[in-house]
C-alpha cells in the first residue's frame, strides 16, 4: 500500500469515528420495516421507510429479471430521473400523465365552491398568473400538479421545476426565483412547516405579478399546514386535491409496463395493504407486482400474492425466522455475502465468506474451507439461491436488498461499520476487468441501503476509493445520486458541506467533492455546490487547486450560472495572497480562455463589474509578478482584439482599475509594462491589430493617470 493510501485509510478511520461513535446502536426498532406474515393482512410501510419509485428494485425498466432485481447502475438512474423531473421534459410529463389515476381539483373561495376535472382546472390556470395546489403529504400531490401543467401547456410552453437551493436549516424565503418569458414554473414546497418563511406567501405573490408581465406563470404545491405557515395570501386561486384511489394507481401503472395486474389487485390481501398505504407505497408495490408477474407468469394468484407481499415487506418475517434458528456461522456469512454480491459467480461469493468472517470476528484468521465445512450446493439450497447465467441469484424477488435492509435494522452500528469496511475493500483487492463490475454492484447496494434506511453514514466508506482513479467515478456517481434524491438529498448535501470544511480531509477526498459539485448536482443546486467549492478553495494544494479550476470551468459551460460564478470567484480573490486568492486567479485565468470573458460578461451588471474592478486592482497592487497576473492581464488584451465594442469595454475597464483607490499610478505602470510585453514594438509590422490595441490601451491609461489628472 502506498503512503498516500495509508494516509487516506487513516483519514477514513477519523471520519468513521465521527459517524460511528462508540455506544451508538443501529437503526431504532421503530425505523425497521415491520414484519409481514404471508397470507395475512399486510400493514402499510411507514412513510419514513418507503422508497420512492426511482430506485432500482422498485420500478421495472423492461426485460425479464430472474429473482431479485439487479442492483447495478442505480446511481445513474437516479441522476437521470432527477434531471428529467427538474426540466419537466415533455416525455417525462407524458409518462406521468399516461398512468395518472383520475384526480379532482376543488376550487373553494368565498364566492364559489367548485369541483373541477383536470381540463377545467387547467383553464383556470391559463387565465391567472399563479395557482396553489394543496393536498396531504405523500398523496401524489406533485403528480397532480404536473398533470395540471401538462393540460394547460399544449401549445408548447416550456415547463420547469424550481428546486429549493437552500442550505439545510435555512427557511425558504424565495429570495431568488427564475423568471423567463413564456415559462410555466412548478414549485413544490417542503412538507416541514419550519422550512418555509412566514413571508413566503407574500413574496410568491409579488413574484407571480412579475411573471405575469413576462407571459409566465407559477404553480405552487404544498400541504395545507405548510401553506398556512408560509403566510398564505387571499388573492390566489387555491385547488384542494384529495388523494387518488390507490388500486387504480397500481392498475394504471402496471398497464404502462404492459402487465395486467387485475387478478392480483383484486386479492383481499393486496386490497387491505393498499388501504394502509401512501401513493409512494403504491408506486413501490407496483414495481414489485410487475417484476413478479413477468418473472413467474406460471404462478397462481395465491403464490404471486405471497411473493409480492414478501418482497413488499422486505421478507422481514422470513429473515427474522431464518436468523432465529441456530444456523452455523458459515450459513449466515454466506447469506450476507450473497446479498451484497448477488450476480457474481457462486465460487467468488464463497471465497468472500472467509474475509467477511474475519472482518466481523466470527472466523479465525485461518481459512475455513476443509471437507468438514458445508459446501456450495448446500449453502445455496439453505438460502434459496440458484445459478442463472453464471451468477448467483436469489429465488425470492428483491431478497438481496431485503437481507441488507434487515441487517441494517437488526444489527448495531459496529456491525454496519465492519460490513461496509469489508465490502469496500473487495474491489481494492482486484486489478482486473472484474473490479469495475464489482464496484458497480457494491455501490448500487450501498446507495439502495442509504435511501431505504435514510441513513447517510455508510457513504463515509466511499472515501476509501477516492485515491483510486479507476474507482473514483463510482464515488462521484453515488454521492451525486444520493445528494439529488428525495429521501436523503438534504442530508447528503449537508454531509458534503461538513466534509468540505474538514481540515484533516485528504486531497483525493476534496478533489472528489469538487467533482461532485461541478456535475449534475450543480445544475440543480448551484448555490449549494458553489458554497462547498468555496470551502475547498482555500486549501493551498496544487492538486486541489487544479481540481477547483476544472470544476468551475465545467460550471462555466452553463450560461445561467456565469454571473453567480463571477461573484463567487471575485469574493475568493479578497484577502491576503495565497490559498483561496491564488485559486481565484487560477480559475479566472482558465475562464478567460472560454468563449465568454468574465470582464465582458459583467459589463451590464454594475455590482459584479465593480467587484471585479476591485479584484483586478488588488491583483496589480501585488509586488510579485506571478503567472496569474500576467495571464489574466494578457487575456484582457486578447479580448480587446475580438471587436471594436470589446476593445472599448476592455479599455474602460482598465481605466477603472487605475482609478480604483490609491496606487493608481503604480497599477498604470504595471499595466503599461504588461501591454508592451504582450505586443513588443519590434513586432508592430507583423501584428498591426495588436499594435493598435496596445497603443489605444496605453494612451487611454495615461489619460486617467492620477498624477496627470491631479495636475
Amino acid at each position: 500500500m502506498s503512503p498516500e493510501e495509508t494516509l487516506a485509510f487513516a483519514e477514513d478511520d477519523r471520519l468513521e469515528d465521527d459517524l460511528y461513535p462508540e455506544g451508538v446502536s443501529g437503526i431504532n426498532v421503530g425505523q425497521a420495516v415491520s414484519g409481514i406474515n404471508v397470507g395475512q393482512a399486510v400493514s402499510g410501510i411507514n412513510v419514513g421507510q418507503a422508497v420512492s419509485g426511482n430506485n432500482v428494485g422498485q420500478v421495472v425498466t423492461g426485460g425479464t429479471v430472474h429473482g431479485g432485481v439487479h442492483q447495478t447502475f442505480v446511481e445513474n438512474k437516479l441522476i437521470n430521473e432527477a434531471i428529467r423531473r427538474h426540466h419537466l421534459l415533455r416525455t417525462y410529463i407524458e409518462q406521468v400523465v399516461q398512468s395518472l389515476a383520475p384526480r379532482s381539483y376543488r376550487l373553494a373561495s368565498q364566492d364559489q365552491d367548485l369541483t373541477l376535472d383536470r381540463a377545467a382546472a387547467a383553464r383556470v390556470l391559463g387565465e391567472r398568473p399563479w395557482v396553489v395546489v394543496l393536498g396531504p403529504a405523500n398523496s401524489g400531490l406533485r403528480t397532480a400538479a404536473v398533470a395540471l401543467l401538462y393540460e394547460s401547456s399544449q401549445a408548447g410552453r416550456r415547463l420547469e421545476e424550481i428546486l429549493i437551493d437552500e442550505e439545510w436549516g435555512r427557511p425558504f424565503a424565495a429570495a431568488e426565483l427564475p423568471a423567463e418569458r413564456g415559462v410555466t414554473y412548478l414549485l413544490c414546497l417542503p412538507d416541514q412547516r419550519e422550512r418555509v418563511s412566514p413571508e413566503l406567501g407574500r413574496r410568491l405573490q409579488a413574484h407571480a405579478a412579475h411573471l405575469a408581465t413576462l407571459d409566465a406563470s407559477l404553480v405552487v404545491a404544498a400541504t395545507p399546514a405548510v401553506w398556512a405557515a408560509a403566510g398564505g395570501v387571499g388573492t390566489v386561486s387555491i385547488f384542494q386535491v384529495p388523494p387518488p384511489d390507490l388500486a387504480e394507481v397500481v392498475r394504471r401503472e402496471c398497464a404502462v409496463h404492459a402487465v395486467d395486474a387485475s387478478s392480483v389487485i383484486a386479492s383481499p390481501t393486496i386490497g387491505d395493504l393498499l388501504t394502509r398505504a401512501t401513493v409512494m407505497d403504491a408506486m413501490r408495490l407496483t414495481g414489485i407486482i410487475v417484476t413478479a408477474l413477468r418473472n413467474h407468469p406460471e404462478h397462481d394468484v395465491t403464490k404471486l400474492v405471497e411473493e409480492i407481499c414478501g418482497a413488499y415487506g422486505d421478507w422481514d418475517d422470513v429473515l427474522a425466522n431464518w436468523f432465529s434458528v441456530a444456523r452455523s456461522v458459515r450459513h449466515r456469512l454466506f447469506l450476507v455475502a450473497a446479498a451484497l454480491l448477488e450476480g457474481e459467480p457462486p465460487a467468488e461469493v464463497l471465497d468472500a465468506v472467509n474475509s467477511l468472517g474475519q472482518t466481523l470476528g466470527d472466523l479465525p484468521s485461518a481459512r475455513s474451507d476443509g471437507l468438514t465445512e458445508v459446501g456450495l450446493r448446500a449453502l445455496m439450497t439453505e438460502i434459496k439461491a440458484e445459478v442463472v447465467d453464471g451468477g448467483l441469484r436469489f429465488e425470492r424477488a428483491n431478497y438481496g436488498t431485503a437481507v441488507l435492509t434487515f441487517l441494517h435494522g437488526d444489527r448495531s452500528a459496529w456491525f454496519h461499520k465492519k460490513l461496509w469496511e469489508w465490502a469496500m475493500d473487495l474491489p481494492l483487492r482486484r486489478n482486473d476487468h472484474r473490479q469495475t463490475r464489482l464496484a458497480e454492484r457494491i455501490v448500487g447496494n450501498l446507495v439502495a441501503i442509504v435511501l431505504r434506511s435514510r441513513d447517510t453514514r455508510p457513504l463515509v466508506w466511499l472515501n476509501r476509493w477516492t485515491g483510486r482513479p479507476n474507482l473514483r467515478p463510482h464515488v462521484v456517481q453515488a454521492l451525486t445520486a444520493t445528494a439529488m434524491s428525495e429521501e436523503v438529498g438534504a442530508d447528503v448535501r449537508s454531509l458534503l458541506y461538513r466534509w468540505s470544511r474538514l481540515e484533516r480531509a485528504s486531497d483525493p477526498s476534496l478533489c472528489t467533492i469538487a467533482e461532485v459539485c461541478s456535475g449534475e448536482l450543480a445544475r440543480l443546486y448551484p448555490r449549494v455546490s458553489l458554497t462547498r467549492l468555496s470551502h475547498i478553495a482555500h486549501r493551498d494544494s496544487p492538486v486541489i487547486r487544479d481540481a477547483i479550476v476544472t470544476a468551475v470551468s465545467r460550471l462555466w459551460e452553463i450560461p445561467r450560472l456565469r454571473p453567480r460564478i463571477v461573484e463567487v470567484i471575485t469574493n475568493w480573490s479578497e484577502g491576503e495572497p495565497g490559498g483561496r486568492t491564488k485559486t481565484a486567479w487560477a480559475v479566472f485565468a482558465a475562464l478567460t480562455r472560454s468563449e465568454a470573458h468574465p470582464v465582458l460578461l459583467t459589463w451590464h451588471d454594475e455590482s459584479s463589474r465593480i467587484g471585479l474592478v476591485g479584484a483586478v486592482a488588488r491583483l496589480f497592487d501585488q509586488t510579485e509578478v506571478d503567472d496569474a497576473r500576467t495571464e489574466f492581464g494578457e487575456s484582457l488584451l486578447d479580448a480587446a482584439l475580438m471587436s471594436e465594442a470589446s476593445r472599448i469595454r476592455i479599455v474602460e475597464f482598465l481605466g477603472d482599475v487605475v482609478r480604483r483607490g490609491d496606487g493608481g499610478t503604480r497599477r498604470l505602470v504595471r499595466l503599461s509594462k504588461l501591454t508592451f510585453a504582450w505586443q513588443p514594438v519590434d513586432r508592430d509590422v507583423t501584428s498591426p491589430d495588436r499594435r493598435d490595441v496596445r497603443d489605444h490601451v496605453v494612451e487611454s491609461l495615461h489619460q486617467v493617470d492620477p498624477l496627470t489628472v491631479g495636475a
Side-chain angles (χ1 to χ4, degrees):
M1 185 179 298
S2 67
E4 292 79 6
E5 291 173 328
T6 302
L7 180 60
F9 272 47
E11 177 195 334
D12 287 334
D13 294 336
R14 292 193 296 269
L15 290 173
E16 292 150 18
D17 290 341
D18 291 341
L19 295 180
Y20 291 97
E22 291 296 327
V24 177
S25 62
I27 301 302
N28 295 332
V29 175
Q31 289 177 295
V33 179
S34 60
I36 295 183
N37 295 324
V38 176
Q40 298 180 357
V42 183
S43 62
I45 301 299
N46 184 286
V47 173
Q49 287 83 45
V51 179
S52 71
N54 294 342
N55 301 339
V56 171
Q58 282 74 53
V59 168
V60 175
T61 58
T64 301
V65 180
H66 194 282
V69 179
H70 301 186
Q71 296 296 325
T72 56
F73 301 111
V74 63
E75 60 276 5
N76 282 329
K77 181 175 177 61
L78 282 170
I79 294 171
N80 293 336
E81 185 68 17
I83 295 169
R84 293 171 67 230
R85 285 166 56 94
H86 173 61
H87 293 295
L88 294 178
L89 300 179
R90 178 67 56 177
T91 54
Y92 165 75
I93 297 178
E94 290 174 350
Q95 176 186 335
V96 170
V97 174
Q98 183 182 2
S99 61
L100 184 68
R103 308 295 292 270
S104 60
Y105 300 80
R106 179 171 170 262
L107 181 61
S109 65
Q110 295 179 347
D111 303 326
Q112 56 186 349
D113 189 348
L114 304 174
T115 299
L116 309 176
D117 61 12
R118 195 169 73 216
R123 286 194 291 271
V124 174
L125 173 60
E127 298 169 356
R128 306 179 189 186
W130 73 310
V131 300
V132 176
V133 181
L134 301 181
N138 302 296
S139 66
L141 181 64
R142 180 186 179 280
T143 303
V146 169
L148 190 62
L149 293 176
Y150 174 80
E151 195 73 37
S152 65
S153 62
Q154 295 294 332
R157 288 176 69 93
R158 187 154 62 91
L159 309 177
E160 286 193 7
E161 182 171 7
I162 300 172
L163 295 185
I164 297 178
D165 188 16
E166 295 285 358
E167 297 293 349
W168 181 254
R170 181 184 302 169
F172 176 60
E176 297 180 20
L177 292 179
E180 294 186 41
R181 182 170 298 279
V183 178
T184 298
Y185 295 99
L186 170 64
L187 172 62
C188 295
L189 299 183
D191 293 339
Q192 300 82 15
R193 294 167 55 97
E194 64 275 10
R195 291 192 61 194
V196 298
S197 165
E199 300 293 321
L200 178 60
R202 180 180 57 81
R203 292 191 178 185
L204 290 177
Q205 185 177 31
H207 185 68
H210 174 57
L211 290 176
T213 65
L214 301 173
D215 187 30
S217 55
L218 173 67
V219 174
V220 179
T223 65
V226 168
W227 184 242
V233 288
T235 58
V236 61
S237 297
I238 297 179
F239 290 111
Q240 301 281 350
V241 183
D245 177 74
L246 294 186
E248 186 64 19
V249 169
V250 175
R251 183 178 294 106
R252 286 173 176 258
E253 189 67 26
C254 287
V256 170
H257 298 288
V259 170
D260 181 6
S262 300
S263 59
V264 171
I265 297 172
S267 165
T269 302
I270 299 298
D272 188 70
L273 185 153
L274 288 173
T275 62
R276 295 170 172 82
T278 66
V279 171
M280 188 179 292
D281 300 331
M283 293 299 293
R284 176 171 176 258
L285 178 65
T286 298
I288 295 171
I289 291 175
V290 171
T291 302
L293 289 172
R294 283 181 170 175
N295 290 350
H296 305 291
E298 74 283 359
H299 286 179
D300 58 25
V301 174
T302 302
K303 183 67 174 176
L304 284 170
V305 170
E306 179 180 322
E307 178 86 359
I308 290 165
C309 290
Y312 184 79
D314 286 325
W315 301 101
D316 194 80
D317 271 1
V318 172
L319 288 166
N321 291 334
W322 194 90
F323 277 100
S324 66
V325 174
R327 288 182 167 82
S328 70
V329 171
R330 191 170 173 84
H331 282 97
R332 294 175 180 236
L333 292 172
F334 187 74
L335 174 64
V336 177
L340 264 164
L341 303 177
E342 184 180 6
E344 292 293 302
E348 295 193 22
V349 177
L350 185 60
D351 285 341
V353 165
N354 287 286
S355 61
L356 174 60
Q358 291 163 20
T359 300
L360 295 176
D362 292 325
L363 289 179
S365 57
R367 292 182 63 86
S368 180
D369 289 319
L371 288 175
T372 59
E373 297 295 338
V374 180
L376 182 59
R377 291 188 179 182
L379 290 170
M380 291 179 62
T381 300
E382 181 64 28
I383 67 172
K384 294 190 179 299
E386 56 191 338
V387 179
V388 179
D389 296 330
L392 181 147
R393 301 290 185 199
F394 288 108
E395 296 175 6
R396 297 185 175 105
N398 295 344
Y399 197 63
T401 303
V403 170
L404 297 176
T405 301
F406 177 86
L407 292 172
H408 198 88
D410 191 60
R411 302 287 159 156
S412 68
W414 179 90
F415 178 87
H416 304 159
K417 175 180 178 180
K418 290 298 182 180
L419 177 64
W420 291 113
E421 175 186 351
W422 166 78
M424 301 304 287
D425 280 350
L426 288 177
L428 297 178
R429 301 173 183 174
R430 291 181 170 178
N431 290 311
D432 54 18
H433 66 280
R434 294 174 297 177
Q435 184 185 60
T436 296
R437 184 188 67 193
L438 186 58
E440 289 174 350
R441 199 176 303 283
I442 291 172
V443 164
N445 276 310
L446 186 144
V447 169
I449 292 304
V450 167
L451 296 177
R452 292 184 69 81
S453 64
R454 298 175 185 260
D455 181 2
T456 61
R457 290 180 299 176
L459 294 174
V460 72
W461 291 99
L462 294 170
N463 194 56
R464 289 192 170 230
W465 292 358
T466 57
R468 298 290 188 96
N470 54 333
L471 293 179
R472 185 184 292 179
H474 301 294
V475 180
V476 172
Q477 288 181 325
L479 290 176
T480 302
T482 51
M484 293 168 62
S485 71
E486 295 181 9
E487 293 87 349
V488 295
D491 290 333
V492 176
R493 295 192 293 273
S494 179
L495 190 64
L496 292 173
Y497 178 83
R498 295 200 301 274
W499 287 353
S500 69
R501 292 172 57 89
L502 194 65
E503 288 299 328
R504 61 179 180 242
S506 66
D507 286 5
S509 297
L510 295 177
C511 291
T512 301
I513 295 175
E515 189 171 350
V516 171
C517 292
S518 66
E520 295 302 336
L521 180 67
R523 294 177 181 270
L524 303 190
Y525 298 97
R527 184 183 310 159
V528 165
S529 297
L530 286 170
T531 298
R532 281 134 192 80
L533 290 175
S534 294
H535 287 302
I536 299 173
H538 81 276
R539 307 298 178 102
D540 198 6
S541 162
V543 174
I544 295 177
R545 185 168 297 117
D546 289 344
I548 293 291
V549 170
T550 301
V552 179
S553 297
R554 288 182 64 191
L555 298 181
W556 192 254
E557 296 173 2
I558 308 173
R560 64 182 177 83
L561 298 185
R562 289 171 181 170
R564 181 92 185 177
I565 291 172
V566 171
E567 178 184 350
V568 169
I569 308 305
T570 300
N571 290 336
W572 293 1
S573 69
E574 298 177 355
E576 295 297 322
R580 199 161 69 164
T581 300
K582 192 172 183 179
T583 300
W585 288 111
V587 171
F588 269 136
L591 300 185
T592 60
R593 295 190 289 270
S594 72
E595 62 179 15
H597 196 288
V599 169
L600 298 178
L601 180 75
T602 61
W603 188 256
H604 298 292
D605 186 339
E606 183 177 359
S607 176
S608 296
R609 184 172 178 275
I610 291 174
L612 194 52
V613 165
V616 176
R618 290 192 297 273
L619 178 66
F620 279 87
D621 281 338
Q622 297 176 15
T623 304
E624 296 182 4
V625 182
D626 56 14
D627 293 339
R629 187 164 91 184
T630 301
E631 190 168 2
F632 188 81
E634 290 181 347
S635 77
L636 291 171
L637 301 173
D638 290 336
L641 287 170
M642 294 191 298
S643 67
E644 183 64 25
S646 297
R647 180 193 296 189
I648 293 173
R649 291 172 179 177
I650 293 297
V651 168
E652 186 172 337
F653 178 85
L654 292 175
D656 290 340
V657 169
V658 171
R659 286 192 292 261
R660 179 63 179 260
D662 297 332
T665 300
R666 180 175 61 250
R667 290 192 289 273
L668 183 150
V669 171
R670 291 171 178 171
L671 283 168
S672 298
K673 184 178 180 181
L674 181 145
T675 304
F676 276 101
W678 175 75
Q679 177 55 35
V681 175
D682 58 3
R683 298 180 187 174
D684 285 353
V685 176
T686 57
S687 303
D689 293 341
R690 293 168 69 93
R691 178 201 61 202
D692 292 345
V693 168
R694 181 200 63 202
D695 292 346
H696 188 179
V697 168
V698 172
E699 180 182 353
S700 299
L701 290 179
H702 281 285
Q703 290 177 357
V704 296
D705 183 354
L707 295 179
T708 304
V709 173

